[in-house]
């Protein structure tokens, strides 16, 4: 490790792990890197581990009463003293100079105790670890002190002071439950305290207590080899035990983490799995210890992470969710602490959040591996991050050469759909500005007069020729697709402030998806559309639908498009169009019967029955690799592989047959159609932000939120001329809440121009109700501004009648 002297004798020291450089004042020595948390060298780790015993007299004996662990203070006392800040002090002192005098004027000095305070305070010093103890916790005990369980079992105690080792036998579930129950009844906690303090003092002891009988299963990656029920019981009981036992567990865990060694064995990985489940780490006062545990887990090799991922997969859903919530709480509190003085300064623990996020990535990988995930992907969202500057995170991710280091965009699973939508919108706006600026510069260079229209993508269409006009306009203005969209209906005086655009999307989607166009087939059972397999002379219509979806996402408009989830998987395969390679295969991804089930449930059911058939497949079913399908009412056949018409489906090859069938239906049969659709979508939404999206999130961005709750809309409604307590307003909401779901959507369409819900739900909408005194008129709307104009009907019956007439006959725009 090289140091660079300066004229003031201040040195610069570089971490061998992350290469982060910090200055070191004369007469001081750094031991732990403030960025990654690793020791600078092996000697530094050794010095820290045994520092608390360096000046201790070998003949010193602990007083019987002083041997008790101090109790954890209640919540009010925690606010005054920082709770377990003394344990935090120990870890924080690893990076400080032991010979440096404490600065009483520094608000962070509580995290920097000197070596004298550590030596004199017996309640915060770690118990000495002696080489002859074989990794067990040892204490000096006088003749009148406690004896081990092994000694008391024989009815005697040592007559002279001697160093003894805490000896114990692993407990079963029933034994542990009985011991804790007896301790609660008698008030004698010694046996329980011995069990917990000894169990967590080293990785060896953790495995001794919780490791199962593995035998041949020891080599199975899906079996962590621990007694999960015993682990869960030990932690559940721990939360009900006295505070001195809880603190003893935390001190023992500190001992365990200080004994970190490399390379790690499977037993070490089991210990990490067990320790990270500890419910004590839900308390912010233990976050310093938790951070070092997460750092060690994050620093494991890829091979070790592979095991942890598969072991996390075996956790019950409730324990999996509890661990995930624990990590979320840790990240959120570190970012926005309610009491910053209870934590080390961010400059000295910048590695906390990256470590926690990397461990969360292991959980995400484990969740994705399961056929039935333990939690929904939305449970990985940390909404606290919405308060950060997400565009700064995005630009740092996009420019690693100038912004090296950790960004949340590297782990997109933790970003909520609202955060990703914000990034996508801001990125789209930046691209719109760039395109508008280019158009302006081009006009000036040609010495032409600039006009406001050049800043927008202006589409002029006729209602009677909507599809043809839209197709021609988009084909003619390919270079303007990334400008702000404005739509004009020929012959109508409406000025597009957003409402005309919404109606254009709505009408165009309805026409394109009609069965007479032959582009999409509708499955009544699944209620979704899928691409027609019939060959086309021109695939421009599919390109148009792709452009429509792209424009909708680009302009933050939600569409009523009902595609199955596999469509959005194909849209992200790949997420970015291959550069300068027009012949690249796009929109192709592996699928299973489960994917087909969301598209064609009946066919998927038949294929599942084929896979589960227990009879003679070849003789009983008489199937070959030739399939039949219906196209425009005609039955056609298709051979799935060369010579397939003569290849029988047998018990041995039925899985291959099913996979070939699914691949043909969802990939090969619609290759050209989907390629045009894919390129149309990405011609507008060509953004690296798409890499961060899951297929489900793309669907949400296109179609909006599925949560339809008018009560949320009522809470965010603003009134002009009315108050929430006026009779017409009370009548209106009473009528609306009792309408059918279809009529409620029609009302939303009438008022806002779209029946889709924004990504964040109705609570993110703006909705305004204005008053007009002419009760002879029907209700009106200004869809550009999400405004409903409601006459002050005094009769509830008349209001309902006229409201239904308005929402059931709403198409077209006019001027009052």
């Amino acid at each position: 490790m090289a140091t660079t002297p300066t004229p003031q004798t201040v040195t610069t020291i570089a971490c061998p792990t992350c290469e982060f450089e910090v200055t070191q004042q004369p007469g001081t020595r750094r031991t732990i890197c403030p960025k990654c948390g690793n020791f600078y060298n092996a000697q530094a780790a050794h010095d820290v581990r045994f520092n608390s015993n360096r000046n201790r007299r070998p003949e010193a004996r602990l007083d019987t009463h002083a041997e008790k662990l101090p109790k954890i203070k209640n919540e009010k006392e925690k606010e005054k003293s920082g709770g377990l800040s003394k344990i935090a002090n120990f870890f924080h002192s690893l990076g400080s100079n032991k010979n440096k005098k404490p600065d009483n004027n520094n608000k962070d000095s509580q995290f920097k105790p000197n070596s004298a305070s550590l030596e004199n305070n017996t309640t915060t010093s770690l118990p000495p670890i002696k080489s002859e103890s074989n990794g067990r916790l040892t204490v000096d005990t006088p003749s009148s002190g406690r004896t081990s369980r092994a000694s008391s079992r024989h009815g005697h105690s040592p007559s002279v002071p001697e160093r003894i080792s805490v000896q114990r036998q692993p407990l079963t579930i029933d034994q542990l439950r009985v011991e804790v129950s007896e301790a609660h009844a008698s008030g004698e906690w010694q046996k329980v305290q011995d069990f917990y303090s000894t169990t967590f003092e080293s990785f060896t002891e953790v495995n001794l207590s919780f490791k199962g009988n593995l035998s041949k299963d020891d080599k199975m990656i899906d079996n962590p080899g621990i007694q999960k029920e015993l682990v869960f019981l030990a932690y559940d009981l721990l939360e009900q035990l006295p505070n001195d036992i809880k603190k003893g567990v935390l001190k023992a865990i500190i001992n365990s983490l200080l004994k970190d060694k490399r390379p790690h064995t499977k037993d070490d990985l089991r210990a990490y799995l067990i320790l990270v489940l500890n419910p004590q780490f839900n308390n912010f006062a233990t976050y310093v210890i938790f951070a070092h545990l997460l750092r060690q887990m994050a620093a494991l090799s890829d091979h070790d992470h592979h095991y942890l991922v598969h072991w996390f997969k075996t956790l019950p859903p409730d324990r999996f969710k509890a661990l995930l919530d624990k990590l979320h709480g840790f990240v959120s509190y570190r970012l926005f602490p309610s009491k910053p003085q209870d934590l080390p300064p961010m400059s000295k623990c910048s590695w906390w959040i990256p470590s926690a996020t990397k461990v969360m990535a292991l959980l995400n990988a484990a969740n994705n591996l399961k056929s039935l995930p333990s939690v929904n992907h939305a449970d990985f969202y940390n909404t606290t991050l919405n308060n950060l500057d997400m565009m700064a995170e995005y630009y740092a991710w996009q420019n690693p050469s100038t912004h090296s280091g950790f960004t949340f965009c590297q782990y997109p699973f933790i970003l909520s759909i609202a955060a990703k939508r914000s990034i996508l919108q801001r990125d789209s706006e930046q691209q719109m500005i760039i395109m508008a600026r280019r158009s302006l510069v081009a006009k000036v260079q040609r010495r032409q007069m600039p006009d406001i229209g050049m800043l927008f993508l202006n589409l002029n269409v006729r209602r009677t020729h909507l599809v043809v006009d839209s197709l021609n306009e988009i084909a003619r203005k390919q270079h303007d697709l990334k400008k702000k969209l404005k739509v004009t209906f020929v012959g109508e005086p409406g000025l597009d402030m957003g409402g005309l655009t919404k109606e254009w999307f709505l009408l165009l989607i309805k026409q394109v998806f009609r069965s007479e166009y032959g582009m999409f087939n509708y499955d009544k059972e699944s209620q979704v559309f899928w691409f027609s397999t019939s060959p086309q002379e021109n695939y421009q219509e599919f390109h148009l639908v792709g452009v429509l979806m792209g424009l909708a996402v680009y302009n933050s408009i939600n569409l009523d498009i009902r595609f199955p989830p596999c469509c959005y998987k194909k849209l992200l395969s790949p997420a970015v169009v291959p550069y300068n390679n027009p012949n690249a295969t796009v929109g192709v991804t592996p699928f299973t019967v489960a994917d087909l089930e969301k598209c064609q449930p009946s066919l998927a059911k038949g294929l599942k029955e084929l896979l589960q058939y227990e009879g003679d497949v070849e003789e009983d079913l008489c199937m070959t690799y030739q399939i039949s399908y219906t196209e425009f009412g005609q039955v056609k056949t298709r051979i799935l592989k060369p010579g397939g018409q003569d290849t029988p489906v047998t018990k041995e090859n039925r899985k291959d047959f099913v996979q070939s069938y699914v691949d043909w239906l969802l990939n090969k049969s619609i290759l050209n159609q989907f390629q045009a659709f894919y390129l149309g979508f990405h011609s507008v939404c060509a953004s690296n932000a798409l890499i961060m999206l899951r297929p489900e999130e793309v669907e949400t961005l296109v179609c909006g939120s599925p949560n339809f709750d008018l009560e949320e809309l009522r809470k965010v409604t603003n009134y002009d001329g009315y108050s929430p307590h006026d009779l017409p307003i009370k009548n209106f909401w009473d009528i609306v809440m009792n309408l059918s779901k279809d009529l409620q959507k029609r009302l939303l369409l009438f008022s806002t121009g779209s029946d889709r819900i924004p990504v964040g739900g109705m609570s993110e909408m703006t909705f305004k109700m204005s008053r007009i005194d002419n009760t002879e008129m029907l209700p009106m709307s200004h869809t550009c501004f999400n405004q409903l104009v409601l006459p002050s009907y005094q009769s509830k019956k008349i209001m309902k009648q006229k409201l239904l007439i308005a929402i059931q006959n709403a198409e077209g725009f006019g001027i009052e």
Side-chain angles (χ1 to χ4, degrees), residues 425-438 455 481-485 551 553-556:
Q425 285 179 345
R426 294 281 299 278
D427 191 45
S428 300
E429 291 169 0
Q430 291 295 323
Q431 293 186 46
M432 289 179 184
I433 293 172
I434 292 172
M435 292 302 298
R437 185 181 294 121
R438 288 177 180 174
L455 303 178
L481 292 180
K482 291 195 174 185
K483 295 180 180 179
K484 181 70 175 176
L485 175 63
L551 286 173
V553 174
Y554 198 68
N555 290 271
S556 303

PDB file of all heavy atoms in Angstrom, residues 425-438 455 481-485 551 553-556:
ATOM      1  N   GLN A 425     -40.267  10.006 -18.424  1.00  0.00           N
ATOM      2  CA  GLN A 425     -40.876  11.259 -18.866  1.00  0.00           C
ATOM      3  C   GLN A 425     -39.831  12.359 -19.021  1.00  0.00           C
ATOM      4  O   GLN A 425     -39.828  13.080 -20.028  1.00  0.00           O
ATOM      5  CB  GLN A 425     -41.948  11.699 -17.864  1.00  0.00           C
ATOM      6  CG  GLN A 425     -43.236  10.892 -17.939  1.00  0.00           C
ATOM      7  CD  GLN A 425     -44.266  11.347 -16.926  1.00  0.00           C
ATOM      8  OE1 GLN A 425     -43.949  12.070 -15.983  1.00  0.00           O
ATOM      9  NE2 GLN A 425     -45.496  10.923 -17.097  1.00  0.00           N
ATOM     10  N   ARG A 426     -38.964  12.471 -18.036  1.00  0.00           N
ATOM     11  CA  ARG A 426     -37.934  13.513 -18.114  1.00  0.00           C
ATOM     12  C   ARG A 426     -36.990  13.261 -19.284  1.00  0.00           C
ATOM     13  O   ARG A 426     -36.565  14.204 -19.969  1.00  0.00           O
ATOM     14  CB  ARG A 426     -37.155  13.567 -16.798  1.00  0.00           C
ATOM     15  CG  ARG A 426     -37.966  14.015 -15.602  1.00  0.00           C
ATOM     16  CD  ARG A 426     -38.133  15.536 -15.598  1.00  0.00           C
ATOM     17  NE  ARG A 426     -36.864  16.213 -15.506  1.00  0.00           N
ATOM     18  CZ  ARG A 426     -36.195  16.422 -14.368  1.00  0.00           C
ATOM     19  NH1 ARG A 426     -36.709  15.997 -13.221  1.00  0.00           N
ATOM     20  NH2 ARG A 426     -35.055  17.056 -14.378  1.00  0.00           N
ATOM     21  N   ASP A 427     -36.677  12.002 -19.501  1.00  0.00           N
ATOM     22  CA  ASP A 427     -35.820  11.653 -20.631  1.00  0.00           C
ATOM     23  C   ASP A 427     -36.524  11.986 -21.946  1.00  0.00           C
ATOM     24  O   ASP A 427     -35.905  12.495 -22.889  1.00  0.00           O
ATOM     25  CB  ASP A 427     -35.452  10.172 -20.564  1.00  0.00           C
ATOM     26  CG  ASP A 427     -34.350   9.807 -21.546  1.00  0.00           C
ATOM     27  OD1 ASP A 427     -33.352  10.548 -21.631  1.00  0.00           O
ATOM     28  OD2 ASP A 427     -34.480   8.782 -22.243  1.00  0.00           O
ATOM     29  N   SER A 428     -37.828  11.703 -22.007  1.00  0.00           N
ATOM     30  CA  SER A 428     -38.610  12.035 -23.201  1.00  0.00           C
ATOM     31  C   SER A 428     -38.655  13.545 -23.424  1.00  0.00           C
ATOM     32  O   SER A 428     -38.507  14.025 -24.560  1.00  0.00           O
ATOM     33  CB  SER A 428     -40.032  11.479 -23.074  1.00  0.00           C
ATOM     34  OG  SER A 428     -40.033  10.082 -22.939  1.00  0.00           O
ATOM     35  N   GLU A 429     -38.861  14.307 -22.352  1.00  0.00           N
ATOM     36  CA  GLU A 429     -38.905  15.760 -22.469  1.00  0.00           C
ATOM     37  C   GLU A 429     -37.585  16.318 -22.968  1.00  0.00           C
ATOM     38  O   GLU A 429     -37.559  17.246 -23.793  1.00  0.00           O
ATOM     39  CB  GLU A 429     -39.260  16.374 -21.111  1.00  0.00           C
ATOM     40  CG  GLU A 429     -40.696  16.105 -20.674  1.00  0.00           C
ATOM     41  CD  GLU A 429     -40.938  16.497 -19.231  1.00  0.00           C
ATOM     42  OE1 GLU A 429     -39.966  16.979 -18.580  1.00  0.00           O
ATOM     43  OE2 GLU A 429     -42.062  16.318 -18.743  1.00  0.00           O
ATOM     44  N   GLN A 430     -36.479  15.746 -22.474  1.00  0.00           N
ATOM     45  CA  GLN A 430     -35.171  16.195 -22.943  1.00  0.00           C
ATOM     46  C   GLN A 430     -35.009  15.928 -24.434  1.00  0.00           C
ATOM     47  O   GLN A 430     -34.489  16.764 -25.182  1.00  0.00           O
ATOM     48  CB  GLN A 430     -34.063  15.499 -22.160  1.00  0.00           C
ATOM     49  CG  GLN A 430     -33.960  15.932 -20.701  1.00  0.00           C
ATOM     50  CD  GLN A 430     -33.567  17.391 -20.556  1.00  0.00           C
ATOM     51  OE1 GLN A 430     -32.775  17.916 -21.326  1.00  0.00           O
ATOM     52  NE2 GLN A 430     -34.145  18.055 -19.571  1.00  0.00           N
ATOM     53  N   GLN A 431     -35.479  14.750 -24.878  1.00  0.00           N
ATOM     54  CA  GLN A 431     -35.388  14.435 -26.302  1.00  0.00           C
ATOM     55  C   GLN A 431     -36.297  15.360 -27.121  1.00  0.00           C
ATOM     56  O   GLN A 431     -35.943  15.752 -28.242  1.00  0.00           O
ATOM     57  CB  GLN A 431     -35.772  12.969 -26.532  1.00  0.00           C
ATOM     58  CG  GLN A 431     -34.785  11.982 -25.924  1.00  0.00           C
ATOM     59  CD  GLN A 431     -35.098  10.551 -26.295  1.00  0.00           C
ATOM     60  OE1 GLN A 431     -35.372  10.237 -27.445  1.00  0.00           O
ATOM     61  NE2 GLN A 431     -35.055   9.658 -25.309  1.00  0.00           N
ATOM     62  N   MET A 432     -37.484  15.704 -26.583  1.00  0.00           N
ATOM     63  CA  MET A 432     -38.370  16.648 -27.277  1.00  0.00           C
ATOM     64  C   MET A 432     -37.695  18.003 -27.450  1.00  0.00           C
ATOM     65  O   MET A 432     -37.767  18.626 -28.523  1.00  0.00           O
ATOM     66  CB  MET A 432     -39.672  16.815 -26.488  1.00  0.00           C
ATOM     67  CG  MET A 432     -40.600  15.616 -26.496  1.00  0.00           C
ATOM     68  SD  MET A 432     -42.083  15.931 -25.503  1.00  0.00           S
ATOM     69  CE  MET A 432     -42.907  14.341 -25.605  1.00  0.00           C
ATOM     70  N   ILE A 433     -37.052  18.472 -26.388  1.00  0.00           N
ATOM     71  CA  ILE A 433     -36.370  19.765 -26.449  1.00  0.00           C
ATOM     72  C   ILE A 433     -35.244  19.737 -27.478  1.00  0.00           C
ATOM     73  O   ILE A 433     -35.052  20.683 -28.254  1.00  0.00           O
ATOM     74  CB  ILE A 433     -35.837  20.142 -25.051  1.00  0.00           C
ATOM     75  CG1 ILE A 433     -36.996  20.410 -24.091  1.00  0.00           C
ATOM     76  CG2 ILE A 433     -34.916  21.353 -25.131  1.00  0.00           C
ATOM     77  CD1 ILE A 433     -36.558  20.605 -22.645  1.00  0.00           C
ATOM     78  N   ILE A 434     -34.500  18.642 -27.485  1.00  0.00           N
ATOM     79  CA  ILE A 434     -33.393  18.514 -28.450  1.00  0.00           C
ATOM     80  C   ILE A 434     -33.916  18.550 -29.888  1.00  0.00           C
ATOM     81  O   ILE A 434     -33.372  19.239 -30.754  1.00  0.00           O
ATOM     82  CB  ILE A 434     -32.607  17.220 -28.181  1.00  0.00           C
ATOM     83  CG1 ILE A 434     -31.853  17.327 -26.842  1.00  0.00           C
ATOM     84  CG2 ILE A 434     -31.635  16.928 -29.319  1.00  0.00           C
ATOM     85  CD1 ILE A 434     -31.197  16.026 -26.410  1.00  0.00           C
ATOM     86  N   MET A 435     -35.016  17.801 -30.147  1.00  0.00           N
ATOM     87  CA  MET A 435     -35.577  17.775 -31.502  1.00  0.00           C
ATOM     88  C   MET A 435     -36.120  19.146 -31.892  1.00  0.00           C
ATOM     89  O   MET A 435     -35.958  19.589 -33.047  1.00  0.00           O
ATOM     90  CB  MET A 435     -36.685  16.721 -31.580  1.00  0.00           C
ATOM     91  CG  MET A 435     -36.207  15.289 -31.448  1.00  0.00           C
ATOM     92  SD  MET A 435     -34.978  14.831 -32.701  1.00  0.00           S
ATOM     93  CE  MET A 435     -35.942  15.031 -34.199  1.00  0.00           C
ATOM     94  N   ALA A 436     -36.779  19.832 -30.956  1.00  0.00           N
ATOM     95  CA  ALA A 436     -37.307  21.164 -31.258  1.00  0.00           C
ATOM     96  C   ALA A 436     -36.172  22.138 -31.541  1.00  0.00           C
ATOM     97  O   ALA A 436     -36.259  22.970 -32.462  1.00  0.00           O
ATOM     98  CB  ALA A 436     -38.154  21.658 -30.084  1.00  0.00           C
ATOM     99  N   ARG A 437     -35.089  22.035 -30.780  1.00  0.00           N
ATOM    100  CA  ARG A 437     -33.951  22.927 -30.994  1.00  0.00           C
ATOM    101  C   ARG A 437     -33.328  22.672 -32.373  1.00  0.00           C
ATOM    102  O   ARG A 437     -32.941  23.623 -33.069  1.00  0.00           O
ATOM    103  CB  ARG A 437     -32.919  22.712 -29.881  1.00  0.00           C
ATOM    104  CG  ARG A 437     -31.753  23.689 -29.944  1.00  0.00           C
ATOM    105  CD  ARG A 437     -30.735  23.426 -28.845  1.00  0.00           C
ATOM    106  NE  ARG A 437     -31.304  23.699 -27.529  1.00  0.00           N
ATOM    107  CZ  ARG A 437     -31.395  22.793 -26.569  1.00  0.00           C
ATOM    108  NH1 ARG A 437     -30.967  21.556 -26.776  1.00  0.00           N
ATOM    109  NH2 ARG A 437     -31.911  23.121 -25.402  1.00  0.00           N
ATOM    110  N   ARG A 438     -33.237  21.415 -32.760  1.00  0.00           N
ATOM    111  CA  ARG A 438     -32.676  21.098 -34.082  1.00  0.00           C
ATOM    112  C   ARG A 438     -33.533  21.689 -35.193  1.00  0.00           C
ATOM    113  O   ARG A 438     -33.012  22.221 -36.190  1.00  0.00           O
ATOM    114  CB  ARG A 438     -32.559  19.587 -34.246  1.00  0.00           C
ATOM    115  CG  ARG A 438     -31.454  18.951 -33.405  1.00  0.00           C
ATOM    116  CD  ARG A 438     -31.449  17.444 -33.563  1.00  0.00           C
ATOM    117  NE  ARG A 438     -30.392  16.819 -32.763  1.00  0.00           N
ATOM    118  CZ  ARG A 438     -30.245  15.497 -32.628  1.00  0.00           C
ATOM    119  NH1 ARG A 438     -31.067  14.662 -33.251  1.00  0.00           N
ATOM    120  NH2 ARG A 438     -29.261  15.023 -31.882  1.00  0.00           N
ATOM    121  N   LEU A 455     -42.352  23.036 -33.546  1.00  0.00           N
ATOM    122  CA  LEU A 455     -41.921  22.467 -32.273  1.00  0.00           C
ATOM    123  C   LEU A 455     -42.739  21.239 -31.893  1.00  0.00           C
ATOM    124  O   LEU A 455     -42.447  20.600 -30.880  1.00  0.00           O
ATOM    125  CB  LEU A 455     -42.027  23.517 -31.161  1.00  0.00           C
ATOM    126  CG  LEU A 455     -41.247  24.820 -31.394  1.00  0.00           C
ATOM    127  CD1 LEU A 455     -41.486  25.769 -30.232  1.00  0.00           C
ATOM    128  CD2 LEU A 455     -39.758  24.539 -31.563  1.00  0.00           C
ATOM    129  N   LEU A 481     -41.356  12.331 -34.725  1.00  0.00           N
ATOM    130  CA  LEU A 481     -42.086  11.508 -33.760  1.00  0.00           C
ATOM    131  C   LEU A 481     -41.710  11.821 -32.316  1.00  0.00           C
ATOM    132  O   LEU A 481     -42.507  11.592 -31.400  1.00  0.00           O
ATOM    133  CB  LEU A 481     -41.845  10.021 -34.040  1.00  0.00           C
ATOM    134  CG  LEU A 481     -42.453   9.473 -35.330  1.00  0.00           C
ATOM    135  CD1 LEU A 481     -42.136   7.980 -35.489  1.00  0.00           C
ATOM    136  CD2 LEU A 481     -43.968   9.682 -35.363  1.00  0.00           C
ATOM    137  N   LYS A 482     -40.511  12.361 -32.105  1.00  0.00           N
ATOM    138  CA  LYS A 482     -40.080  12.637 -30.737  1.00  0.00           C
ATOM    139  C   LYS A 482     -40.365  14.073 -30.305  1.00  0.00           C
ATOM    140  O   LYS A 482     -39.841  14.532 -29.294  1.00  0.00           O
ATOM    141  CB  LYS A 482     -38.594  12.323 -30.580  1.00  0.00           C
ATOM    142  CG  LYS A 482     -38.316  10.832 -30.659  1.00  0.00           C
ATOM    143  CD  LYS A 482     -36.950  10.483 -30.149  1.00  0.00           C
ATOM    144  CE  LYS A 482     -36.776   8.977 -30.101  1.00  0.00           C
ATOM    145  NZ  LYS A 482     -35.501   8.574 -29.491  1.00  0.00           N
ATOM    146  N   LYS A 483     -41.237  14.732 -31.052  1.00  0.00           N
ATOM    147  CA  LYS A 483     -41.718  16.038 -30.627  1.00  0.00           C
ATOM    148  C   LYS A 483     -43.036  15.866 -29.879  1.00  0.00           C
ATOM    149  O   LYS A 483     -43.658  14.810 -29.932  1.00  0.00           O
ATOM    150  CB  LYS A 483     -41.915  16.956 -31.837  1.00  0.00           C
ATOM    151  CG  LYS A 483     -40.625  17.307 -32.568  1.00  0.00           C
ATOM    152  CD  LYS A 483     -40.903  18.223 -33.750  1.00  0.00           C
ATOM    153  CE  LYS A 483     -39.632  18.579 -34.497  1.00  0.00           C
ATOM    154  NZ  LYS A 483     -39.889  19.464 -35.669  1.00  0.00           N
ATOM    155  N   LYS A 484     -43.455  16.906 -29.195  1.00  0.00           N
ATOM    156  CA  LYS A 484     -44.720  16.886 -28.476  1.00  0.00           C
ATOM    157  C   LYS A 484     -45.868  16.711 -29.465  1.00  0.00           C
ATOM    158  O   LYS A 484     -45.941  17.389 -30.480  1.00  0.00           O
ATOM    159  CB  LYS A 484     -44.889  18.183 -27.693  1.00  0.00           C
ATOM    160  CG  LYS A 484     -46.152  18.272 -26.873  1.00  0.00           C
ATOM    161  CD  LYS A 484     -46.130  17.336 -25.695  1.00  0.00           C
ATOM    162  CE  LYS A 484     -47.353  17.525 -24.809  1.00  0.00           C
ATOM    163  NZ  LYS A 484     -47.389  16.555 -23.704  1.00  0.00           N
ATOM    164  N   LEU A 485     -46.790  15.783 -29.165  1.00  0.00           N
ATOM    165  CA  LEU A 485     -47.877  15.443 -30.087  1.00  0.00           C
ATOM    166  C   LEU A 485     -49.045  16.408 -29.955  1.00  0.00           C
ATOM    167  O   LEU A 485     -49.488  16.733 -28.855  1.00  0.00           O
ATOM    168  CB  LEU A 485     -48.347  14.011 -29.804  1.00  0.00           C
ATOM    169  CG  LEU A 485     -49.556  13.514 -30.594  1.00  0.00           C
ATOM    170  CD1 LEU A 485     -49.230  13.469 -32.095  1.00  0.00           C
ATOM    171  CD2 LEU A 485     -49.984  12.128 -30.114  1.00  0.00           C
ATOM    172  N   LEU A 551     -45.943   6.444 -28.786  1.00  0.00           N
ATOM    173  CA  LEU A 551     -46.362   7.829 -28.595  1.00  0.00           C
ATOM    174  C   LEU A 551     -47.130   7.996 -27.286  1.00  0.00           C
ATOM    175  O   LEU A 551     -47.010   9.015 -26.603  1.00  0.00           O
ATOM    176  CB  LEU A 551     -47.236   8.277 -29.772  1.00  0.00           C
ATOM    177  CG  LEU A 551     -46.526   8.557 -31.092  1.00  0.00           C
ATOM    178  CD1 LEU A 551     -47.535   8.828 -32.197  1.00  0.00           C
ATOM    179  CD2 LEU A 551     -45.579   9.750 -30.954  1.00  0.00           C
ATOM    180  N   VAL A 553     -46.761   6.232 -24.461  1.00  0.00           N
ATOM    181  CA  VAL A 553     -45.801   6.239 -23.356  1.00  0.00           C
ATOM    182  C   VAL A 553     -44.991   7.530 -23.371  1.00  0.00           C
ATOM    183  O   VAL A 553     -44.761   8.154 -22.323  1.00  0.00           O
ATOM    184  CB  VAL A 553     -44.871   5.006 -23.439  1.00  0.00           C
ATOM    185  CG1 VAL A 553     -43.780   5.085 -22.395  1.00  0.00           C
ATOM    186  CG2 VAL A 553     -45.676   3.727 -23.277  1.00  0.00           C
ATOM    187  N   TYR A 554     -44.598   7.958 -24.564  1.00  0.00           N
ATOM    188  CA  TYR A 554     -43.756   9.146 -24.714  1.00  0.00           C
ATOM    189  C   TYR A 554     -44.479  10.412 -24.274  1.00  0.00           C
ATOM    190  O   TYR A 554     -43.874  11.337 -23.734  1.00  0.00           O
ATOM    191  CB  TYR A 554     -43.351   9.247 -26.186  1.00  0.00           C
ATOM    192  CG  TYR A 554     -42.168  10.142 -26.477  1.00  0.00           C
ATOM    193  CD1 TYR A 554     -40.893   9.787 -26.049  1.00  0.00           C
ATOM    194  CD2 TYR A 554     -42.316  11.315 -27.190  1.00  0.00           C
ATOM    195  CE1 TYR A 554     -39.802  10.590 -26.327  1.00  0.00           C
ATOM    196  CE2 TYR A 554     -41.234  12.126 -27.476  1.00  0.00           C
ATOM    197  CZ  TYR A 554     -39.980  11.754 -27.045  1.00  0.00           C
ATOM    198  OH  TYR A 554     -38.897  12.554 -27.315  1.00  0.00           O
ATOM    199  N   ASN A 555     -45.813  10.451 -24.515  1.00  0.00           N
ATOM    200  CA  ASN A 555     -46.615  11.622 -24.169  1.00  0.00           C
ATOM    201  C   ASN A 555     -47.443  11.421 -22.903  1.00  0.00           C
ATOM    202  O   ASN A 555     -48.358  12.194 -22.625  1.00  0.00           O
ATOM    203  CB  ASN A 555     -47.538  11.984 -25.337  1.00  0.00           C
ATOM    204  CG  ASN A 555     -46.790  12.529 -26.532  1.00  0.00           C
ATOM    205  OD1 ASN A 555     -46.554  13.722 -26.648  1.00  0.00           O
ATOM    206  ND2 ASN A 555     -46.392  11.642 -27.446  1.00  0.00           N
ATOM    207  N   SER A 556     -47.138  10.352 -22.139  1.00  0.00           N
ATOM    208  CA  SER A 556     -47.776  10.077 -20.847  1.00  0.00           C
ATOM    209  C   SER A 556     -49.290   9.943 -20.969  1.00  0.00           C
ATOM    210  O   SER A 556     -50.061  10.531 -20.208  1.00  0.00           O
ATOM    211  CB  SER A 556     -47.433  11.189 -19.834  1.00  0.00           C
ATOM    212  OG  SER A 556     -46.041  11.309 -19.690  1.00  0.00           O
TER     213      SER A 556
END
